[in-house]
Amino acid sequence: MATRSPLCPLSPVADLIRIQQQDFDLAREYQALRRDSAAGATADTGIGAIVTFTGLVRDFLNVATEALDTAATLDADAGTGSDRGATSPAPGLYLQHYPGMTERSLTAIVDEARRRWRLNRVRVIHRVGQLAPGDQIVFVGVAAAHRGEAFAACEFIMDYLKIRAMFWKKESGPRGSRWVESRDSDQAAASRWQSDDRD
Amino acid sequence: MIRVLFFGALADIAGREQLDLTWQPSLDSPAAIRLALAASAPALERALQQPQVLVARNLDQAGWDTPVADGDEIAFMPPVTGG
């Protein structure tokens, strides 16, 4: 990576876009946004703001834990789809993606954020595979000279990730599992940015 | 050969995540591939008719009449639900 002068804080930096099964460490991601790893431990003095977002797996069933205790008495009356009748899976989420295309869709979202705001480093991590309620699922971190850009770009990337990035969630609970339906509220959240002239 | 991929609920309906079709000139678009599935998998063909289904050709978002050639990978995807 090219060495960066503090006088030129917005020289091009490679974005980190990662899809992985394993968990991530918020403190490490924050430090990676703050410091140029290629330049050792030196903090990048061109950065004035870092905004990070972490998404967690919500306990979407709310009563999942209690329901599990009585799962044996529940019959296959829920009609939850193809997995009905299978043994009760652990409550949680299964995350599927399209290797290759998912990375492209995330790169396009980050590129679009870069067109709208002057940004320094951007890191996006999305987990896939089997996750449990409370698990970290997604991380978006944006470093910029000023907080306005960092806040806006972080929210923009998350809003577009929800409607454009190739991931599919399958919920599992005591009554079986089902693919999550897309939500109009996510479309609405992303469409805010279309009417917005922020650049 | 055309490699056809199904994701999310569409894979459940297809009963598989991947289907390799022998290349024929008539399979010249995602719409033509969908039509070709109608005989053997009518429920799948109906599911693919839903307006929100996404199509990709070789990892790029495509339309139902995007040209398809021998060796292409075509994906049919439900609306995304990540994050």
Side-chain angles (χ1 to χ4, degrees):
Chain A
M1 193 183 285
T3 51
R4 190 166 335 117
S5 147
L7 295 173
C8 185
L10 296 169
S11 59
V13 288
D15 297 320
L16 176 122
I17 289 171
R18 219 161 52 196
I19 294 156
Q20 62 186 39
Q21 216 163 347
Q22 77 253 35
D23 203 5
F24 51 84
D25 181 74
L26 201 53
R28 260 178 52 192
E29 295 309 320
Y30 169 71
Q31 290 304 338
L33 285 163
R34 204 179 148 211
R35 298 167 197 280
D36 187 344
S37 55
T42 321
D44 190 329
T45 51
I47 294 173
I50 292 176
V51 170
T52 68
F53 171 83
T54 309
L56 308 179
V57 178
R58 219 157 18 94
D59 190 355
F60 46 86
L61 291 170
N62 285 327
V63 290
T65 326
E66 303 102 78
L68 260 187
D69 299 334
T70 56
T73 64
L74 291 172
D75 213 320
D77 60 344
T80 46
S82 58
D83 289 347
R84 184 170 49 135
T87 50
S88 302
L93 271 191
Y94 174 75
L95 258 293
Q96 185 186 40
H97 78 299
Y98 183 179
M101 184 159 187
T102 308
E103 289 85 345
R104 280 194 193 191
S105 56
L106 290 173
T107 302
I109 292 165
V110 173
D111 287 350
E112 176 60 27
R114 286 194 174 282
R115 272 191 289 276
R116 292 178 179 230
W117 299 281
R118 284 161 61 81
L119 307 176
N120 198 285
R121 279 185 270 284
V122 177
R123 294 173 79 84
V124 178
I125 301 173
H126 203 300
R127 294 180 69 195
V128 292
Q130 192 64 44
L131 300 175
D135 279 355
Q136 301 187 118
I137 178 169
V138 60
F139 172 85
V140 175
V142 176
H146 305 288
R147 72 181 185 283
E149 297 153 331
F151 270 125
C154 186
E155 191 169 25
F156 171 90
I157 290 169
M158 250 334 280
D159 283 349
Y160 269 78
L161 185 152
K162 295 287 274 188
I163 63 155
R164 294 267 174 87
M166 301 303 171
F167 294 98
W168 298 274
K169 280 188 188 124
K170 193 176 202 177
E171 292 176 345
S172 299
R175 287 167 180 260
S177 54
R178 58 168 188 164
W179 291 100
V180 174
E181 303 270 330
S182 62
R183 300 191 322 186
D184 292 343
S185 57
D186 289 333
Q187 292 288 340
S191 64
R192 287 180 302 160
W193 299 101
Q194 284 158 16
S195 49
D196 239 18
D197 257 8
R198 298 210 167 212
D199 44 353
Chain B
M1 186 195 82
I2 306 278
R3 175 150 292 174
V4 184
L5 302 179
F6 304 101
F7 289 90
L10 291 174
D12 287 356
I13 295 165
R16 57 172 79 209
E17 294 183 341
Q18 186 183 316
L19 174 67
D20 291 340
L21 297 174
T22 309
W23 164 249
Q24 302 165 35
S26 63
L27 297 176
D28 60 355
S29 69
I33 293 169
R34 177 177 65 189
L35 193 64
L37 294 168
S40 60
L44 176 62
E45 197 261 345
R46 271 197 306 280
L48 293 176
Q49 294 276 5
Q50 293 177 303
Q52 67 270 35
V53 170
L54 306 168
V55 183
R57 173 182 168 270
N58 298 337
L59 304 178
D60 277 324
Q61 203 135 357
W64 287 100
D65 34 16
T66 296
V68 170
D70 192 8
D72 281 355
E73 178 175 287
I74 302 299
F76 296 118
M77 303 167 283
V80 301
T81 54

